[in-house]
Amino acid sequence: MSTERSYFHGWRARTHYLTRDRRFLLRTSAAIIALGMIIASTIVIGRAGSHEPPQGHAASPALSRLHEDFHLLRHETTPQPRRLATWLRLLVAQIPQLVKAGDESAYEDFAQTGRIGNYEVRQLIHQHATTDAPAGLFHGYLAATLAGDPEALRDLEQKARAVPPEMLAAELLGSVEKRRDSLPAALQAFYTEGLHFPEAGAAREEALHLAVAQRDVKMLRLIAEQPGWIEHCHPLLQHHAGSLLGDVWMQWHGLIRHRLNELPYGLLTLAFFVAALWYFILVQHSDHESWRWARPLAALMAGVASVWPTLTVLAYQEYIQGMTADAPFPHDLIYFVLGVGLREEGCKLLLFALFLPWLLWRRTPGLALLTGAFVGLGFSLEENIGYYQDYGGTIAWTRFLSANFLHISLTGICAHSLYRMLLTRFARAEEFITTFALVVLAHGGYDYLSTVSLGDNGWFSLIVLILCAARFIDLLGEETRPSRLTIAPRAVFTFGSAVLIASSFVMGAWTTHSMAGVAKAGQECLAMVPIAMLYWRKFENA
């Protein structure tokens, strides 16, 4: 019989030892972070050596779109009057970047040469004018907008207010009125165009945008009566329209479309990776059962679902009650506590309540604590997607340590208290009410201190986070007995943090093409070192 041992013999023992070896963890993490910095530096150097223009001299998105659409229109083989009208509206909006002397000078150049900036506007108008949308209509629009010609404006108004209006007249009039800051008149003009011409997608979207911006519920109801109008507009406009109209399905459908259409799959992968790190650590604190890795998925999905009723409450608070974070003190503090804190913690607890019959049957306080934590993790998973859309992936490690674990901690603490109250048949009702009030206050206070400018005292929010995280981790130690698995929770936390920091460097370099972007990502990560040290010490014996 051969006595040779395979290469993998004893791998469990080695892994168990290495993932608990402080020196190995720190050295490996430092190597991962250094690799991220090398990759980020390579990206910056590679971009600097290319022939791309510097970031500060790059054309704005609006100018890039103007240039791209011009060439598309030039190469069209059939007249496209509606696309021409949209392009002219964009051109007029970009006049300050194209012609330094102002609007009147731009119109004089057009009248003499047919050009505005570097664009052959007259030639483009004649290429796309039709019998329904003659060239004179577009010329009159430019005269009324750029030269302030009263006769051209009266002619445009007469055509727009005819019954039925001439094609594109109301849309162009709406553009003139919007440029004059007469927003109600602009809204009415765009609505008229969209009402009489279902194919006027640009006018319909502009009408919906203005109705939402002005919170004109009466006009929104008129728009909603037209089949397909709101559904074919930008998803976020549909979401905001649903909020103002009190239409929950419209509100949710718009946000789902926005998530699916706008989120890069790379950021979605990052959001799942962040959630997987906390998922692994939390599971290691559960009982050693065969279904313990799959069972928390139900609570995780409940947490994701809790975002949607939260958004419904948010719409009611902001659009109906008028609560806003921009209000003066103390109304802004009230918004964060009774608005943000109350709605988010209340909705998460509501979804956690679905598991109470099973938890009361199991009679295991630690399981109730973990179930609440998984609900909080699901909420933070969905919330992360929106934050990554708005701010990019460079904030991944910051949110991993702060907002993500805050949701886990607060929901776990509150869920545990609710479970104990029901288990004792309301003997601990006062304790639950106090706990829930403190959780709401902590959540609102953290968001308030993180958002409102407090000079050099913004670190107060970290104190709130540290207190909440420490309480949850202590409660986790009291109510659960972590299994001594092969891979230690602290190794998952450490290596996961290293990967997220390295990713922040890479994404900072990729999005800004400069070492300044890398340095900014590094500063954000450095600010979170104190809270990272707390987690490091708390997970030491797990």
Side-chain angles (χ1 to χ4, degrees), residues 164-187:
E166 290 190 19
M167 175 181 172
L168 287 172
E171 178 175 339
L172 295 176
L173 177 63
S175 178
V176 176
E177 297 290 3
K178 184 180 178 182
R179 190 171 174 80
R180 297 165 63 187
D181 290 327
S182 181
L183 298 185
L187 170 58

Side-chain angles (χ1 to χ4, degrees), residues 44 68 85 116 123 148 162 191 194 206 257 261 267 275 279 319 336 344 377 406 412 418 424 457 519 529:
V44 172
E68 181 181 347
I116 295 180
Q123 181 180 343
Y191 171 75
E206 191 66 53
R257 283 178 56 207
N261 294 344
L267 294 181
Y279 189 93
Y319 291 114
F336 281 105
E344 292 190 5
L377 178 60
L406 186 72
L418 176 62
T424 59
N457 299 321
V529 169

